[in-house]
Amino acid sequence: MSKEDHKMRQFIIYRHVEKIYTELKELGYHDNDPLEVTDLTKLDQWHYCGTDAVDAVIKLLDIREGARVLDVGAGIGGPSRYLAHKTKCHVTAAELLPDNHRVGQDLTSRCGMTGSVKHVCGDILTTELGKQEFDHVISFQVILYVPEKPRLFRQLYASLKPGGTLCFEEFYRLRDVESDEEKAALKYFLLSDIALPTQQDYRKLLEEAGFQVTVHDISDSYSEYTYKRWSKFEEPEERSKHVRLYGEDLVDGWRQLYVTAKKLCNDFGLMGAGRFVARKV
Ligand SMILES: C[S@@+](CC[C@H](N)C(=O)[O-])C[C@H]1O[C@@H](n2cnc3c(N)ncnc32)[C@H](O)[C@@H]1O
């Protein structure tokens, strides 16, 4: 495993890929029980604001029945399944980590959705995407981890049909980093020294790849989300419930992540986010 894979895995360990099975058991499901997409949506969306964020993307891109959509960094397939269920489109769910890919495949199969959601495993930079394959490309909180963003955007551009659209939701830097504390928090959040682009940086990279770009700033909703998530997690009953299910180590790891996200988005006001909508012209 490369050093970068290792770092990503550390992060995902805090996600705890098997967590969803524990949660399903808590809800009374047995292993291999069939599932409905709607049973999963509170559990399988690994980005902020759950299916509301996916609904916003469906609306922004006007995703319709029969469309071919690529989901970059699909996690355990939550957004892909919800999108296919809601719009009757066909989704390719591309995910880097084999564990996430495996759980995603299992959940999709238990939802009876293997005909509409296809899972592929690998680094998006080296995955064979094909030329002019997709009507739309979507992605939620993934692009920040991809080191070669110019190459990524060129590849996504090539994979889209003429007039095709891309929408990704991503964190960005609102201003320069001003202290060691801010620098350390950002490094922890990003898993590395990789620079967090500003909105302007992203816009420029997309335009250089050939896209026509619009940006919707959603920094306020991220700020509210990170604050509410942190304050709920600080409640003693929440902690004891999570410790009972997952143990101290995982709970401390999640807490650290939630505290850091709250600091970056609220206390420091250093990190915001946007929905980037880009059209292939
Ligand atoms: C914050 S999670 C979001 C998952 C999913 N988009 C969702 O919203 O439920 C980020 C995901 O991106 C994946 N990822 C990171 N770098 C990637 C790459 N180069 N290629 C494909 N997937 C990647 C990670 O493994 C992880 O599952």
Side-chain angles (χ1 to χ4, degrees), residues 84-256:
H85 167 78
K86 189 85 193 270
T87 68
K88 300 192 173 60
C89 68
H90 298 281
V91 186
T92 299
E95 166 57 35
L96 173 69
L97 295 178
D99 287 348
N100 295 350
H101 168 74
R102 170 180 53 77
V103 172
Q105 275 186 314
D106 174 50
L107 297 173
T108 296
S109 157
R110 287 170 63 184
C111 287
M113 295 187 73
T114 51
S116 54
V117 178
K118 182 178 119 195
H119 291 265
V120 294
C121 188
D123 187 333
I124 196 66
L125 287 172
T126 49
T127 300
E128 184 46 64
L129 299 174
K131 299 271 182 265
Q132 306 197 2
E133 277 289 315
F134 300 102
D135 298 290
H136 311 284
V137 176
I138 63 163
S139 187
F140 296 91
Q141 297 183 347
V142 176
I143 310 285
L144 85 164
Y145 300 117
V146 180
E148 292 175 71
K149 292 178 181 54
R151 180 175 159 201
L152 172 66
F153 291 144
R154 282 197 303 274
Q155 287 180 195
L156 297 181
Y157 187 91
S159 77
L160 279 166
K161 295 177 186 172
T165 51
L166 157 71
C167 183
F168 67 89
E169 185 169 314
E170 203 46 270
F171 297 96
Y172 45 63
R173 191 165 46 78
L174 294 170
R175 57 167 174 77
D176 289 344
V177 177
E178 283 167 1
S179 69
D180 287 346
E181 200 190 353
E182 289 183 353
K183 195 172 165 192
L186 207 52
K187 184 172 175 179
Y188 175 84
F189 192 79
L190 300 174
L191 306 163
S192 70
D193 284 322
I194 189 171
L196 182 64
T198 61
Q199 184 192 119
Q200 229 9 68
D201 294 335
Y202 271 124
R203 186 187 276 277
K204 189 162 175 274
L205 287 172
L206 286 163
E207 284 171 355
E208 281 168 2
F211 286 107
Q212 211 170 54
V213 188
T214 317
V215 189
H216 303 258
D217 183 81
I218 51 170
S219 302
D220 286 349
S221 74
Y222 267 44
S223 179
E224 194 182 323
Y225 179 91
T226 51
Y227 187 86
K228 279 193 182 150
R229 183 177 64 172
W230 163 78
S231 67
K232 183 148 180 63
F233 211 71
E234 292 296 304
E235 289 169 11
E237 349 31 291
E238 277 292 301
R239 183 176 171 90
S240 35
K241 182 180 87 188
H242 286 107
V243 168
R244 173 176 65 80
L245 291 173
Y246 308 112
E248 299 267 351
D249 282 355
L250 274 175
V251 170
D252 288 343
W254 284 322
R255 181 174 180 275
Q256 179 67 11

Side-chain angles (χ1 to χ4, degrees), residues 27 30 75 274 276:
L27 292 174
H30 299 103
F276 292 81

